[in-house]
Amino acid sequence: MAKTENHKDILRKVFSDPVHGHIALHPACVAIIDTPQFQRLRNIKQLGGGYFVYPGASHNRFEHSLGVCYLAGEMARTLKNGQNELDIDDKDVLCVEIAGLCHDLGHGPFSHVFDNMVVPRVREDRPDWKHEDASKTMFEHMIEENPVIKIKGDLNSNDVTFIMNMICPPPSEEEKMKDSRWPKKAFLYEIVANKRSEVDVDKMDYIARDCLHLGIRSSFDHGRFIRLTRVIRHGKKMRLCVRDKEAFNVYQLFQTRHALHKKAYKHRVTSAVEYTLAEILIKAKDVKLIPGKRKRLALPQCIDDMSAYTHLTDEIFQQIRISSKKELKQSRDLLQALERRKLFVCVAESCPIANSKCKILKEDTSKLAKETKIKKELIQQLKRHDPSFLDDTITVQVVMLDFGKKDRNPVDELCFYTKRDIDTAIKIKSTEVSHLFPKKMFQEQMVRVFLKHYWVGRKCVYDHDRQYMESVCKVFEKWCSKNKIGCKQLLKDQVLHS
């Protein structure tokens, strides 16, 4: 790692990144990187189970966080240098960089596998817990454990609050008011995690980085977008705006995001792998494996203890693999099955559903609640044909694909400006950009049914009887027909254990 100095003689370190080239980071950012709390991100796969499907997708949360830090700094400096009236100072830029660097500190084993598929099932008392909550708590813990960070960044308590609010934006403006930069510099909240339009540097980096490692082309140009960004008053608030000619570029960002979800993140085999990974952790939930501040903790307890959470990474699977504890036998069996490519089998899925007439899918409930309800209906039908059918043999997945704001168009929330009037924020309708974009629906859903492994005595069974699989398919096909949804049976082209 080479060293260089910027124009203000602040010693920075230069990192070589495959996406952004050589990036120079502030000493306070380097101090954060050199902590156990941040180094753990080296051992958390960015794409979770996607690495088992795409061999090149071996990148981790560590390098993604460096990339977001760099892009956050680039955007903040673009605004600072281009609009003196915004009164952005070097401390503001540093805080935005640190927020970008630390926004993913709270990810658990195999990224979204932990917060989307494990925590909801093992911590019913924390149904709304997300990795952003842990990122905020972990950052606070990191600052306490490593006071040199505040010294190198000259950070005060207000700066720390501002950074935490950018990492995990408070739901109410009353909470944001505790930050002295609100509302005068409220636009800074839109750089790292933009909850309004979903266009932020986090998305820009992971799309560019994931496309690179997956071998999927992306046509979105984040450098051009950043260079053409300005802050303009819209209504009562100062908002990030971009040139009107960038509207098509923004739609390409969301179309690439949709393609990544369809081809990689929600790939049928990726989902099969991730359900297996989640099941391994769920089966191990009562075993105290992780060293905490005072004692060893079980997996569900780690989200309440950042000392323990620091040790919780993808390496937990190696601990399970080499453990001789009897309580972990089922988890070890599942790990061995995964290593031999004996995956959960996706036997059927529905066709993509837009504007669904299916009552369950239209309900304003969580994804887990919908999956549980559909699974219950299928099991009731299966038990009518076979009373001995085991409830825990199938799992249901509801796949939601959208542009980031469920059934709404996120570009409707983005502000633009024109070359003729750079100080007026305007909105642009999708029909002004192209008539080929969706007109009303910006979300589609699918339902999948997987056959899980089960145990007969002490033996793990993953070879399901063909007739057994066909009966599950028939029941699911009837459920789809009842709910006026198209159904695709996958048994004909299903290569078992592939």
Side-chain angles (χ1 to χ4, degrees), residues 171-238:
S172 66
E173 293 199 1
E174 288 75 13
E175 292 179 76
K176 291 178 183 175
M177 293 300 288
K178 297 175 183 177
D179 170 12
S180 65
R181 292 174 174 86
W182 182 272
K184 182 182 177 183
K185 299 179 181 179
F187 54 86
L188 293 176
Y189 276 82
E190 299 182 31
I191 295 177
V192 176
N194 192 336
K195 299 303 181 183
R196 186 185 292 270
S197 71
E198 297 294 324
V199 182
D200 51 45
V201 295
D202 174 29
K203 191 172 278 84
M204 293 177 197
D205 182 84
Y206 83 65
I207 285 178
R209 194 171 302 276
D210 292 353
C211 283
L212 173 68
H213 290 281
L214 290 167
I216 296 173
R217 293 187 182 276
S218 170
S219 53
F220 176 75
D221 186 345
H222 56 260
R224 177 183 171 88
F225 182 95
I226 289 173
R227 285 194 298 273
L228 294 174
T229 299
R230 287 178 57 80
V231 175
I232 306 172
R233 182 173 295 281
H234 182 258
K236 296 182 179 180
K237 294 183 179 178
M238 301 295 282

Side-chain angles (χ1 to χ4, degrees), residues 34 44 127 147-148 163 170 174 186 219 252 254 287 336 370 409 450 479:
D34 294 337
I44 297 177
V148 68
I163 293 167
E174 288 75 13
S219 53
Q252 287 183 310
F254 288 109
V287 184
Q336 290 173 5
K370 292 176 183 178
N409 180 5
F450 291 85
W479 181 89

